[in-house]
Amino acid sequence: MGGVALDVGATGVKAPDGGWGWAVLAGCFVITGFSYAFPKAVSVFFKELIREFGVGYSDTAWISSILLAMLYGTGPLCSVLVNRFGCRPVMMVGGLFASLGMILASFSTSIIHIYLCTGVITGLGLALNFQPSLIMLNRYFDEKRPLANGLSAAGSPVALCCLSPLGQVLQYQYGWRGGFLILGGILLNCCVCGALMKPLVPPKTLKDNNLEQENPEDTEKKQKKSRAKLLDFSVFKDCGFVIYTVAASIMVLGLFVPPVFVVSYAKEMGTEDTKAALLLTILGFIDIFARPTCGVIAGLKWVRPRCVYLFSFAMIFNGTTDLIGSQAKDYGSLVVFCIFFGVSYGMVGALQFEVLMAIVGTEKFSSAIGLVLLMEAIAVLVGPPGAGLLLDATKNYMCVFLLAGSEVFLSAVVLATCNFMCIRNKRPEPEDKVDDVIEIETETAKRLESSIPEEEHEEEEKGAREEQEKETQKEVVMELKEQDEKVEEIREESRGVDSQEVKFPKEPQQNGAMTQTPETCL
C-alpha cells in the first residue's frame, strides 16, 4: 500500500507522461473546477430564488446538497459506464446533461423543478465528467502523475475564484434566469474537454491482424470477458483499499465544514460582510499554489513511495489547524487560520486521488474511485448538516471547529497506523522483490514468444537470410572490383616496360657512330 503500483495501463500501453497527456491535463483541470466550484457558485443566486418562490434558505441549500450528492453518489454508475463505453463518450454525454440541466432550470416555476434540473440533471452531468477525467489522467501519466494530480486539483480554487464573481455579475445584469441560461452555455465546454480525452490504443501490427483472422472466436471471448466486469468489487480484497476508504470517509465528515462556517464565524465576531467574505478569497488564493507545490513534492523519488504517509501528514496538518482555529478571538486570527487551512486543504486535495491511484493501479482505478465516491457521498450528506445541528444546539462555533478537526485528525491516525501495520506484516524483502520482478519479466517474455506464430518466425528467419546473402554479394562484388583495378594497374605497368624495351635498341640505329662495331672500324 505504501508504494506506487507500476503498470502499463488497462490497454497495455505505457503512460506517455507528456505529449497529448498535457491536453488531457488541461481538460481535467477545467472539469475539476466545474465539479467542485459549481455547487458553491450556484449559492450566489439563492437570495433571488428565495424571493421568487417564497422559500427559506434551508430549502435553497438543498440545491448544492443534491449537486454534491449526485457528484459523489453516482460513482458506481460512472464506473460501469466508463468500463462499458469508454471515457470520451461518457464525458460528451455528461457535458450535454450538465448544460441541459441549467438551461431547463432557467424556465422553472417552482423550487422542486430546480431540484430536478440543477440538482439531479446537472449533478449527474458533472459526475459523468469528473470521474472519467481522473481515469484518463491516470492512464496518461505515471512518473509525472503526482504533479499532474496537483495541477488538475488546482482547477477547483481557480474556478471558484472565477465563477463566484461571474455569478454575481450575471445576477445583477440578467437576473437568476438569465444567469442560469448563460452558465448552461458555459458548461458546454465539458463536451470540449471530453473530446480531448483521446484513448490510448496500442498500434496494430501484422501479428494482431493475423491473430484476428485466424482466431475470431478467441477475440470474441476476450471481449465478452472484458465486458463482464463492469464494476470490479475485487478491490475490497485489497486491505490497503479498505483502509483508504474508511479513512477517506471519516475525513470527509469534517473536511468541508470550516469553509462553510468560517464566514459566519467572522460575522459572529462583529466583522463586516465584505471583510468576512474576504476570508474565502484568501483561502482559495493559498489553495491555488498549495496544490501544484504539493504535487511536485509528492513526485520526488524519496517521497513518492511514501505518499500515503504524506497524505496522513496533510490530514494531521488540516485537523490541527481546525483545532487551533477554534480558539480564534478576532479577525486577524481567522486570517492566519485561513492561510494555514488553505495550505493543508490544498495538500489534501492534491494527494487524495494520487494515493488511491498508487494503491489500486490503473486497471482497477475506474471501479475503485466509483466505490470510494459512493462511500464519501454518505459522509458529505452527513458532515455539514451534522455540524449545523451541533451549532444550533450549542450556539458556539468553537464546538463546530473542534468536531471537524477531531474527525480529520482521526482519519489520519487510522490511515497511518493501519498502513504501517500492513507494511510491517506483509512487506517482502528487497531480494524477494527483485526475484519476483525477474520472474514476471521472464514469464512475460515467454508469453510474448509463444504468442508469435511459427510462420512469422520463419518469415523473420528468411528475411534475415536474404539480408545476409545481399551483404555477402555486395562484399564479393567489391572484392572483384578491387581485383580488376589491381589487374589493370599491373597491365599498365607491364605495357610501360615493354615500350621501353622496344625503344631502347632503336636509338643506337639512328646514331651512326654508336652503331659501328670494332670489326667495321678495322
Side-chain angles (χ1 to χ4, degrees):
M1 179 178 173
V4 177
L6 299 175
D7 49 37
V8 293
T11 58
V13 183
K14 188 177 180 180
D17 278 319
W20 190 256
W22 298 115
V24 174
L25 175 59
C28 190
F29 177 87
V30 176
I31 294 298
T32 303
F34 282 149
S35 301
Y36 279 111
F38 203 80
K40 301 174 184 177
V42 175
S43 62
V44 175
F45 301 94
F46 283 177
K47 289 185 179 180
E48 285 200 5
L49 292 176
I50 291 171
R51 296 174 184 174
E52 180 79 15
F53 301 112
V55 294
Y57 184 82
S58 60
D59 297 326
T60 56
W62 275 102
I63 299 173
S64 298
S65 298
I66 295 172
L67 270 169
L68 290 173
M70 294 298 296
L71 181 64
Y72 284 90
T74 57
L77 175 62
C78 296
S79 298
V80 171
L81 293 176
V82 168
N83 292 333
R84 178 65 180 86
F85 300 104
C87 293
R88 179 186 277 179
V90 173
M91 292 183 67
M92 298 287 282
V93 175
L96 294 176
F97 270 89
S99 177
L100 180 63
M102 294 301 296
I103 293 173
L104 292 177
S106 64
F107 300 98
S108 299
T109 57
S110 67
I111 194 68
I112 298 176
H113 294 167
I114 297 180
Y115 291 162
L116 295 175
C117 297
T118 303
V120 177
I121 299 177
T122 301
L124 178 61
L126 293 175
L128 293 177
N129 278 272
F130 176 63
Q131 185 172 328
S133 65
L134 291 176
I135 295 171
M136 290 302 298
L137 188 70
N138 183 32
R139 292 177 181 175
Y140 268 90
F141 289 92
D142 184 13
E143 294 180 358
K144 298 179 181 178
R145 191 175 61 198
L147 175 61
N149 276 311
L151 291 173
S152 65
S156 175
V158 171
L160 183 60
C161 293
C162 295
L163 288 178
S164 295
L166 177 63
Q168 292 178 355
V169 172
L170 294 176
Q171 179 184 357
Y172 294 144
Q173 295 293 330
Y174 306 102
W176 71 269
R177 294 185 185 273
F180 274 29
L181 189 63
I182 295 173
L183 289 177
I186 293 174
L187 286 177
L188 282 174
N189 289 302
C190 294
C191 296
V192 179
C193 297
L196 296 175
M197 304 299 166
K198 183 173 65 176
L200 284 172
V201 179
K204 280 193 174 183
T205 59
L206 294 174
K207 301 176 184 179
D208 299 329
N209 295 327
N210 293 330
L211 290 173
E212 290 179 358
Q213 292 176 0
E214 292 177 359
N215 299 320
E217 296 180 356
D218 295 339
T219 56
E220 291 180 359
K221 291 179 180 179
K222 291 179 181 179
Q223 291 177 357
K224 290 180 180 179
K225 289 181 179 179
S226 61
R227 292 178 182 177
K229 292 185 178 180
L230 296 177
L231 189 61
D232 191 0
F233 288 97
S234 63
V235 291
F236 285 105
K237 297 180 181 179
D238 187 358
C239 182
F241 173 76
V242 175
I243 295 171
Y244 175 86
T245 304
V246 174
S249 300
I250 299 172
M251 176 192 70
V252 172
L253 286 172
L255 183 65
F256 301 112
V257 171
V260 174
F261 291 96
V262 66
V263 176
S264 301
Y265 193 11
K267 291 180 180 179
E268 185 73 15
M269 296 178 181
T271 308
E272 298 178 358
D273 292 346
T274 55
K275 293 180 66 176
L278 185 62
L279 293 174
L280 288 179
T281 304
I282 296 171
L283 193 154
F285 183 77
I286 298 297
D287 192 6
I288 291 173
F289 298 97
R291 299 194 182 207
T293 304
C294 185
V296 173
I297 295 173
L300 299 177
K301 293 182 179 180
W302 185 82
V303 178
R304 190 176 182 186
R306 301 166 179 83
C307 59
V308 177
Y309 296 109
L310 181 62
F311 185 44
S312 302
F313 170 76
M315 290 191 291
I316 291 174
F317 186 15
N318 186 270
T320 305
T321 303
D322 293 342
L323 296 176
I324 297 175
S326 64
Q327 307 300 321
K329 302 298 182 183
D330 54 0
Y331 181 77
S333 58
L334 283 180
V335 171
V336 176
F337 163 76
C338 287
I339 292 173
F340 284 96
F341 184 85
V343 174
S344 60
Y345 190 74
M347 292 177 66
V348 172
L351 296 171
Q352 182 177 3
F353 297 109
E354 166 61 24
V355 173
L356 181 60
M357 293 175 186
I359 292 171
V360 300
T362 303
E363 293 183 359
K364 296 183 179 180
F365 180 71
S366 59
S367 298
I369 187 174
L371 296 171
V372 169
L373 289 177
L374 177 62
M375 298 299 295
E376 290 182 353
I378 301 172
V380 167
L381 290 176
V382 174
L389 292 175
L390 179 63
L391 180 61
D392 293 336
T394 60
K395 305 296 181 181
N396 191 350
Y397 284 92
M398 182 182 68
C399 299
V400 175
F401 279 74
L402 288 174
L403 176 63
S406 60
E407 289 170 345
V408 177
F409 193 91
L410 176 62
S411 64
V413 173
V414 170
L415 182 63
T417 55
C418 294
N419 181 65
F420 177 76
M421 296 299 293
C422 290
I423 289 179
R424 188 178 66 177
N425 294 332
K426 297 183 179 181
R427 187 175 183 178
E429 296 181 356
E431 296 179 356
D432 297 337
K433 286 185 177 180
V434 173
D435 295 336
D436 294 338
V437 171
I438 294 172
E439 290 178 1
I440 292 170
E441 290 179 352
T442 54
E443 288 179 1
T444 53
K446 290 179 181 179
R447 290 178 181 176
L448 290 173
E449 292 178 358
S450 62
S451 62
I452 298 174
E454 295 180 356
E455 295 179 358
E456 294 180 357
H457 282 295
E458 293 178 357
E459 291 179 357
E460 291 177 357
E461 292 178 357
K462 288 181 181 179
R465 290 176 184 174
E466 290 177 357
E467 290 179 357
Q468 289 179 356
E469 289 177 358
K470 289 179 181 179
E471 291 178 357
T472 53
Q473 288 177 0
K474 289 179 181 179
E475 292 177 357
V476 171
V477 171
M478 294 296 291
E479 290 178 358
L480 291 173
K481 287 182 179 180
E482 291 177 357
Q483 291 178 0
D484 292 336
E485 291 177 356
K486 290 180 181 179
V487 170
E488 290 178 359
E489 291 178 356
I490 293 170
R491 287 178 180 177
E492 290 177 357
E493 291 177 357
S494 61
R495 287 174 184 174
V497 174
D498 293 339
S499 62
Q500 289 177 2
E501 291 177 355
V502 172
K503 291 178 181 180
F504 190 77
K506 289 181 181 179
E507 291 177 357
Q509 291 178 0
Q510 295 176 358
N511 190 354
M514 293 296 294
T515 55
Q516 292 180 354
T517 60
E519 295 179 354
T520 57
C521 292
L522 294 174

